[in-house]
Amino acid sequence: MGGRYGDALVVRVAARPVDGAATESALAAIAAAFGVRRRRVSLVSGFTSRDKVVEVEGDQDALIAVLRELWSLP
């Protein structure tokens, strides 16, 4: 994870934005950060944009705890 920018979390990936590689890499990084399988993370909007909205499925309390931790990173 790359930190926070305004009201958004930043995910930095090395993959280039070609054929969805960067998006897939970002979704995999989000899954890893939240401790869920990749299939539990889905792209809701922003398919061709730098700004994306994702949905993470899992135990709500655990996901909120991780989100709070990520949100507080410098």
Side-chain angles (χ1 to χ4, degrees):
M1 300 305 274
R4 180 176 167 186
Y5 183 78
D7 290 337
L9 289 176
V10 176
V11 178
R12 291 196 175 111
V13 297
R16 299 190 46 88
V18 177
D19 297 327
T23 297
E24 182 56 39
S25 183
L27 295 176
I30 291 167
F34 280 89
V36 299
R37 293 184 185 267
R38 165 58 189 91
R39 68 176 183 237
R40 297 285 189 174
V41 179
S42 57
L43 184 60
V44 175
S45 68
F47 296 94
T48 59
S49 171
R50 290 182 63 166
D51 298 328
K52 302 189 182 311
V53 176
V54 300
E55 179 178 10
V56 181
E57 296 177 21
D59 177 68
Q60 184 175 358
D61 293 333
L63 295 175
I64 289 171
V66 172
L67 181 59
R68 284 186 178 142
E69 184 178 318
L70 293 171
W71 198 253
S72 66
L73 290 176

